[in-house]
Amino acid sequence: MSNNRVSRRQFLGYTLTGVGGFMAAGMLMPMVRFAVDPILQQHEGGDFVLTDQAVADITEEPVRVDFAFEQVDAWYTSEVTNSAWVYKEGDKLIALSPVCKHLGCTVNWAGDTENPTQFFCPCHAGRYEKNGQNIAGTPPLGPLDEYEVRDQDGFVAIGAVRDNTLV
Amino acid sequence: MLNKLYDWVDERLDITPIWRDIADHEVPEHVNPAHHFSAFVYCFGGLTFFITVIQILSGMFLTMYYVPDIENAWQSVYYLQNEVAFGEIVRGMHHWGASLVVVMIFLHTLRVFFTGSYKKPRELNWVVGVMLFGVILGLSFTGYLLPWDMKALFATKVGIEIAASVPVIGESIKILLAGDSTILGAQTLTRFFAIHVFFLPAALLGLLAAHFIMIRRQGISGPL
């Protein structure tokens, strides 16, 4: 028998706190889970989207290739057009995301006349090498993302976006 | 008539001490612009509150027409501004007040800083004040998206990328705000609306209450 006898007052305090805690948790748990649901959702990689850009016309100079796909935004489904910078490295097709890794603006190839062999972001003058490598001293902290890309019956098909594998 | 009504209520509920306690207190000479004009710097806190009240009222009325839906949000803002009587005024109050409240908070903060009013025993009120500043910036950020025009969309894209740059939990903050890991769309708008209209105002009112209770309890800081 322990020396610390629990008084009636303490006992009631503990039980009421416990019951109150359960009630609070019972209210809060569904609401918090409801709010964080998007964080816990699993996303499967997108399918390849066929573009009307012929692979034969792709050179070593990046060109902008638009591709449209059906985007499901919860209850809202719409046709969205994104673009990629596509070029050939030898025979290999490469597609880079135009989304600047600084704050999400859209980069252009040779957008800065002083750097005609680089990607350029007009928002804060971020620059990238042709393979997406960010140039030290400009705002971006990482390389441009890369799209999965393949030759589908002579046309460029663009797949899911992933981290840059070239740098 | 009004006096009789007041007396009738007061006789039963004894409300005089309550409103006396809230409203009836001396304004010291050193903070009264009527005595020293330079004391107008002590008005910025009150002006912040005044504009905050305007923001709450004009915001309440804006929601009579606004819908947080990506198909209709912009249309509803266009309609309430251009088709509804005084719509331009009511939206203008909310639009300009939003910037002005940040300016006033900043001036209020400067006054508190340069008069040293944050020092003991008022440290906690400074802390609550900084939290209020954060809540107001949150309201500014979430409110900016609601008209759902291009400026709002891209400003939010950038803002969310800034939030995502927080170490370790940045990506989770981003998804929690945007409602999706890649899309800034329908769920982002409803989330921002909920945060702008319910969550942050609730936090704002709670913090304001704490701010005011503390200043009444401690009194305004002394002259320099």
Side-chain angles (χ1 to χ4, degrees), chain A residues 35 38-39 43 71 73-74 76 103, chain B residues 70-71 162 179 181 183 185-186 191:
Chain A
I39 297 177
H43 280 274
Q71 175 183 272
D73 178 10
Y76 184 78
L103 292 173
Chain B
I70 55 175
E71 288 277 358
I162 294 172
S181 56
I183 306 166
R191 267 171 189 261

Side-chain angles (χ1 to χ4, degrees), chain B residues 25-36 39 42 219-223:
Chain B
H25 56 281
E26 295 234 345
V27 176
E29 188 184 319
H30 73 282
V31 304
N32 189 343
H35 284 88
H36 311 284
Y42 285 90
I220 208 157
S221 58

Side-chain angles (χ1 to χ4, degrees), chain B residues 79-96:
Chain B
Y79 181 86
L80 73 86
Q81 178 167 336
N82 295 295
E83 304 291 331
V84 181
F86 287 97
E88 213 174 348
I89 304 290
V90 176
R91 180 159 183 243
M93 287 159 73
H94 207 71
H95 174 95
W96 295 107

Side-chain angles (χ1 to χ4, degrees), chain A residues 34-40 43 71-76 100-106 124 161, chain B residues 69-71 154 157-158 161-162 172-173 175-176 179-187 190-191:
Chain A
F34 184 85
V36 302
D37 193 55
I39 297 177
L40 302 170
H43 280 274
Q71 175 183 272
V72 179
D73 178 10
W75 57 89
Y76 184 78
C100 182
K101 297 299 275 185
H102 177 219
L103 292 173
C105 294
T106 305
H124 304 96
V161 73
Chain B
D69 164 65
I70 55 175
E71 288 277 358
F154 284 103
K157 276 194 177 178
V158 168
E161 286 306 315
I162 294 172
S172 294
I173 295 176
I175 300 172
L176 197 60
D180 190 279
S181 56
T182 50
I183 306 166
L184 204 158
Q187 299 188 83
T190 50
R191 267 171 189 261

Side-chain angles (χ1 to χ4, degrees), chain A residues 36-51:
Chain A
V36 302
D37 193 55
I39 297 177
L40 302 170
Q41 294 241 344
Q42 298 296 320
H43 280 274
E44 69 271 23
D47 294 333
F48 277 86
V49 179
L50 190 62
T51 68

